[in-house]
Amino acid sequence: SRVSLLMPCPSCGEEPSATEWKWDPLRWDMDPPCSEDEWKYLADVPGAPEYMAGKQCGYMNKICRGCYNARIEIVNKVRQRIRSKGGLEKIGPSKKMRDDYEAAHEADVVAKRAARIKGLQSAAAAHLNGKLCKLLSKDKDTGRWTVELLDAERKNIKEENLEASKDIDMEWEIQFAQALRSGGGYAQAKVAEKITARPLGEQTKWPKVKGIHPGAVVRLQGLNGARELNGRKARCITFDENTGRWTVDLGDEQKALKVENLVPAPQEKAPTQASAREEKLAADADRERRAAMDARQIHAEDYGWDG
């Protein structure tokens, strides 16, 4: 009913002299009501209405007709973009959520990551300041990290004397690649740990497919159980005669795959942790874009709020 009460709308804060007060549809028309996580997910979608900024996901009291109309649109988006696809657990976090998470953990000092040594005061260790290293393991009792330098020398360093960042990760990859190209003993040894020299003729243990051999760079295709890996770059490591599968390194993980799932990519560089991160982000963004489309829009170039 229309009333003339000088009371502010709990959603927009305005005091309309006359309006039709309505129950919040996000709270009272949905079962269960819209959650904070669902609200935040939609607020991160490109093209989300400005109305969502600074508002709550649900109100106990009645709201003005204008806010009701705006929130009905959001009800439809919760149903179409989240719940019809199995909920947030199925579709995963939004790109902004992932970006926020990565930003929050950009400087984390964790195993298998690169780091730069800093702040060593003793005369015997000061020459290590500024050098890059790979973090191997942390001693819980001493709090020191065992790190490996580019020349394969290992040191025990306090965490306070190590710094990590995306730039340092990239710098390590560059220096490692330079050492590999120049025939650096450490880099060559690390590659040799994973790559077995290819035997010739009858000694070859793997299927004779042109461009598929230890050390070969490939692209993945036709994976049904791990579709998110299709198109990813990998490097062949070893072939298992018993399973008939190649162990391939994607830069951030290893998988055992059939030869029919490998496409030779001889012109491409071997994957690194940095390239793997970039490929995963690109794949996640593409999956999120396609998940937002209905059957009519699946071939559309993009999907916006009004799609």
Side-chain angles (χ1 to χ4, degrees), residues 263-277:
V263 178
Q267 303 302 319
E268 300 198 54
K269 295 181 179 179
T272 63
Q273 287 184 342
S275 69
R277 282 195 300 271

Side-chain angles (χ1 to χ4, degrees), residues 52-260:
M52 298 187 75
K55 303 296 193 301
Q56 298 178 20
C57 72
Y59 295 95
M60 288 289 294
N61 297 327
K62 289 185 175 182
I63 58 179
C64 71
R65 180 69 188 198
C67 288
Y68 175 84
N69 291 340
R71 295 170 80 82
I72 280 291
E73 182 185 8
I74 298 169
V75 167
N76 293 331
K77 291 301 178 182
V78 173
R79 289 170 175 162
Q80 295 169 6
R81 301 199 60 169
I82 299 177
R83 297 192 180 181
S84 69
K85 295 175 173 56
L88 291 176
E89 290 185 0
K90 287 288 185 68
I91 62 179
S94 67
K95 183 178 184 302
K96 183 177 185 300
M97 291 176 181
R98 293 194 300 272
D99 290 344
D100 289 345
Y101 178 87
E102 287 203 3
H105 295 274
E106 181 180 1
D108 286 359
V109 176
V110 293
K112 298 184 180 180
R113 190 178 188 183
R116 191 192 308 278
I117 300 172
K118 64 172 186 176
L120 297 177
Q121 301 295 323
S122 70
H127 69 284
L128 297 174
N129 289 326
K131 288 193 174 184
L132 299 182
C133 61
K134 181 71 75 171
L135 299 163
L136 301 182
S137 62
K138 184 178 181 179
D139 188 309
K140 295 181 179 179
D141 296 327
T142 65
R144 290 176 177 265
W145 279 90
T146 297
V147 304
E148 194 167 47
L149 305 175
L150 270 171
D151 61 2
E153 184 180 9
R154 294 192 176 188
K155 297 289 183 180
N156 295 318
I157 308 290
K158 293 181 180 178
E159 187 164 318
E160 64 195 54
N161 296 119
L162 297 166
E163 60 178 341
S165 70
K166 287 184 178 180
D167 289 341
I168 291 174
D169 291 335
M170 185 63 69
E171 191 174 346
W172 168 269
E173 296 293 344
I174 292 172
Q175 291 193 16
F176 183 89
Q178 290 173 341
L180 185 61
R181 286 196 298 269
S182 65
Y186 169 71
Q188 295 285 2
K190 287 300 178 184
V191 173
E193 287 178 6
K194 296 184 177 180
I195 300 177
T196 305
R198 180 179 184 177
L200 301 175
E202 296 179 355
Q203 293 182 339
T204 301
K205 305 296 184 182
W206 49 86
K208 296 177 177 62
V209 178
K210 185 177 180 180
I212 306 292
H213 55 80
V217 178
V218 296
R219 288 281 180 179
L220 309 188
Q221 68 170 8
L223 297 171
N224 294 318
R227 294 178 183 274
E228 69 278 4
L229 297 180
N230 286 327
R232 288 282 303 276
K233 183 167 59 175
R235 186 171 195 166
C236 296
I237 305 300
T238 58
F239 181 75
D240 189 320
E241 293 181 79
N242 296 322
T243 64
R245 291 172 178 262
W246 279 95
T247 296
V248 300
D249 181 12
L250 287 84
D252 57 349
E253 61 179 326
Q254 293 189 354
K255 293 290 183 181
L257 303 176
K258 298 177 181 178
V259 68
E260 54 261 37

Side-chain angles (χ1 to χ4, degrees), residues 7-77:
M7 58 179 294
C9 170
S11 177
C12 65
E14 297 182 4
E15 300 180 358
S17 58
T19 188
E20 185 179 359
W21 296 93
K22 308 280 288 184
W23 292 110
D24 179 6
L26 286 165
R27 184 176 184 87
W28 300 105
D29 293 358
M30 302 192 74
D31 185 18
C34 176
S35 69
E36 288 284 352
D37 288 339
E38 289 174 324
W39 177 269
K40 290 177 181 177
Y41 182 92
L42 287 180
D44 290 340
V45 172
E50 293 182 4
Y51 167 83
M52 298 187 75
K55 303 296 193 301
Q56 298 178 20
C57 72
Y59 295 95
M60 288 289 294
N61 297 327
K62 289 185 175 182
I63 58 179
C64 71
R65 180 69 188 198
C67 288
Y68 175 84
N69 291 340
R71 295 170 80 82
I72 280 291
E73 182 185 8
I74 298 169
V75 167
N76 293 331
K77 291 301 178 182

